[in-house]
Amino acid sequence: MKTALFFGYLFLIPSLLLSQENTTGNYTPNKFHQFSFIPLPAVASNPANGWMFGFAPSASWYMGNPKSTKLSNLVGNLLYTTKKQWIFSSRHTVYLADNSAMLIGDWRYFLTSQPTFGLGSSTPNALAENPNRYGVYWGEQQMDFTLIRFYEAYLKRVGDSKFYLGVGYHLDIHTRISNFISETSDPLVVFAHEDYNLSKGFDPDRYTLSGVTLNAVMENRDMAVSPYERNFAWMQYKINPAFLGSDQSSSTLLLDYRHYFNLNPQRKRHLIGVWGMGNFLISGDLPYMNLPSIGWDMFGRSGRAYAQGRFRGANMVYGEAEWRFPLQKNKETFGATVFVNGATFSGGKPVPMLGSKSYSEKLFEKINPGYGLGLRVMINKEKRTTIAADYAIGQKGNSGFYLNINETF
């Protein structure tokens, strides 16, 4: 019953919003303008989930006059995977009339599994035959868990500028966490997830992170879902006090910057995009699954070539560059991309307990690169709604195929 209520809540607000459809060509105050909804069947694949089947609906609309209001967007997932996972999510960026304010939301309910490898940038792919000398497993270890996530932020525009300031609330609840490996585990060796949480004073079976965010955004892109030019920046300071439900008090800082360099004024789809992101633990400690990790950004687009959660640590720095270009001389339907990325993680703060020395790796001691190419099919030219298919290769045999709606960043 609780699960059903949660699903109802998760999709009720988007449903109410989208039900106020206005498909006419004339602007009508207080109604959606140029609303479009794509109930796209999903057949996709990535290293963390295997093959996924279900629906990936996408909606776009204007909350005000399109001449003075940016395009709002919602992307959802209702998926079942070949790894017996259930994934329900809804992510949105909504611009109110005349760009007076914006809403940024990330809602998820996962019944899922995911391998973890330990902390830092140097963890091996395969489980080490002899666990590291500190008594902690090193390499691939499977985890089952349930995740409930509710993130929502409201930002008010500063005058007529490109800047927005605002606050938000965030909640992550991880439950039913279990760790295992395919072989019988050694009772004298500790799983990386359990070792970290026990050493930091967290319950390894369940934990909660709840708090508020202070947000500053510069939105200067011509269109958020598939930009052709200009830039975007987001700074978020997240405060997780115990009195709001967090298991321990902590704070983090997220920095996100994206820039788009147009290479041809006559064919604006021909461009180079760059993306830089940093996620840093400022104070206190975070539960293991709340530590910065590859592929756990809002839309799960970082780190193509590596499975979601492949690298994790107290601090993360990530960079990516992508060359995008059309494949047709006079049409925009088909395009392609070539990209390269890199990520580095710190292992965490050493503590004088079992396994603590395996957390002492620093940022930039090792960088894990990825590279690849992709195909783009634009199914709505006016709103630049695009189906993206990418193949990426990383180090030590890591690779992956990715199928998504809209550009990676």
Side-chain angles (χ1 to χ4, degrees):
M1 184 63 180
K2 290 182 179 179
T3 300
L5 288 174
F6 178 80
F7 288 151
Y9 176 65
L10 184 66
F11 294 103
L12 175 61
I13 294 178
S15 298
L16 290 174
L17 290 174
L18 301 182
S19 67
Q20 302 179 43
E21 175 178 345
N22 174 26
T23 57
T24 66
N26 298 317
Y27 170 64
T28 303
N30 301 320
K31 287 199 173 185
F32 287 151
H33 187 71
Q34 297 182 12
F35 171 82
S36 64
F37 177 74
I38 303 173
L40 188 69
V43 179
S45 175
N46 67 49
N49 306 112
W51 283 95
M52 299 176 285
F53 304 92
F55 292 92
S58 174
S60 59
W61 67 96
Y62 293 95
M63 294 292 290
N65 191 330
K67 294 181 179 179
S68 59
T69 306
K70 288 184 177 293
L71 185 71
S72 296
N73 178 260
L74 180 147
V75 176
N77 286 299
L78 298 91
L79 304 171
Y80 181 72
T81 80
T82 52
K83 295 187 179 182
K84 300 180 180 180
Q85 305 159 335
W86 289 96
I87 298 173
F88 303 90
S89 67
S90 175
R91 272 95 30 115
H92 59 266
T93 303
V94 177
Y95 298 92
L96 301 188
D98 300 319
N99 299 325
S100 60
M102 63 189 300
L103 296 166
I104 303 174
D106 181 357
W107 308 351
R108 310 186 194 189
Y109 183 78
F110 289 177
L111 298 169
T112 190
S113 59
Q114 189 173 102
T116 187
F117 300 80
L119 300 184
S121 303
S122 301
T123 53
N125 288 333
L127 190 71
E129 293 183 6
N130 182 23
N132 73 51
R133 63 183 183 275
Y134 305 112
V136 181
Y137 278 116
W138 197 245
E140 184 174 355
Q141 306 149 61
Q142 291 294 327
M143 294 177 59
D144 288 343
F145 61 93
T146 297
L147 168 64
I148 296 174
R149 169 171 290 184
F150 176 79
Y151 290 3
E152 191 69 40
Y154 174 84
L155 292 84
K156 183 70 175 175
R157 188 178 180 185
V158 180
D160 295 328
S161 72
K162 305 294 184 181
F163 294 91
Y164 296 78
L165 298 175
V167 297
Y169 174 74
H170 63 271
L171 173 68
D172 278 317
I173 302 174
H174 287 87
T175 61
R176 302 176 185 175
I177 305 171
S178 61
N179 300 264
F180 60 94
I181 55 176
S182 56
E183 302 84 8
T184 302
S185 58
D186 186 336
L188 299 179
V189 182
V190 184
F191 288 102
H193 172 266
E194 292 182 346
D195 176 60
Y196 172 87
N197 283 317
L198 290 172
S199 71
K200 301 293 187 180
F202 293 104
D203 183 344
D205 299 322
R206 63 166 295 143
Y207 35 78
T208 298
L209 193 69
S210 171
V212 296
T213 59
L214 306 177
N215 298 271
V217 166
M218 180 193 70
E219 177 55 275
N220 195 32
R221 296 171 292 186
D222 57 331
M223 186 172 289
V225 298
S226 181
Y228 285 167
E229 55 190 344
R230 300 195 291 272
N231 51 1
F232 168 86
W234 184 10
M235 181 172 66
Q236 181 184 80
Y237 185 61
K238 185 180 290 186
I239 306 167
N240 314 301
F243 67 80
L244 281 182
S246 295
D247 290 351
Q248 295 182 30
S249 295
S250 61
S251 64
T252 62
L253 177 65
L254 172 69
L255 303 174
D256 188 323
Y257 181 75
R258 309 172 188 204
H259 204 112
Y260 306 89
F261 301 92
N262 195 269
L263 301 178
N264 186 341
Q266 281 69 49
R267 294 298 301 275
K268 289 193 173 183
R269 197 176 180 183
H270 192 191
L271 61 95
I272 291 177
V274 295
W275 177 20
M277 179 171 58
N279 201 346
F280 308 100
L281 178 62
I282 301 301
S283 66
D285 290 304
L286 294 171
Y288 188 93
M289 290 296 288
N290 290 113
L291 291 168
S293 180
I294 204 77
W296 276 97
D297 52 289
M298 180 174 171
F299 289 97
R301 303 299 177 88
S302 61
R304 281 175 291 179
Y306 299 97
Q308 185 184 55
R310 174 59 184 87
F311 300 105
R312 188 183 306 272
N315 302 289
M316 175 187 75
V317 174
Y318 178 79
E320 181 160 351
E322 185 170 81
W323 175 32
R324 302 173 188 170
F325 51 93
L327 291 177
Q328 297 166 286
K329 185 175 182 179
N330 298 313
K331 295 183 179 181
E332 301 297 332
T333 304
F334 294 101
T337 181
V338 178
F339 58 87
V340 60
N341 61 56
T344 180
F345 291 81
S346 66
K349 296 176 290 186
V351 293
M353 293 184 68
L354 180 66
S356 63
K357 292 184 180 180
S358 64
Y359 307 148
S360 59
E361 187 175 18
K362 294 179 176 59
L363 285 173
F364 301 107
E365 284 189 23
K366 179 175 175 56
I367 297 174
N368 291 288
Y371 60 92
L373 50 83
L375 177 68
R376 301 291 182 265
V377 181
M378 189 175 293
I379 58 178
N380 186 316
K381 181 179 178 180
E382 180 183 2
K383 297 180 180 178
R384 302 183 197 168
T385 305
T386 304
I387 297 175
D390 297 313
Y391 182 74
I393 300 172
Q395 288 188 324
K396 299 179 180 179
N398 286 280
S399 64
F401 171 71
Y402 305 83
L403 186 63
N404 292 299
I405 294 290
N406 296 327
E407 292 291 353
T408 300
F409 66 91

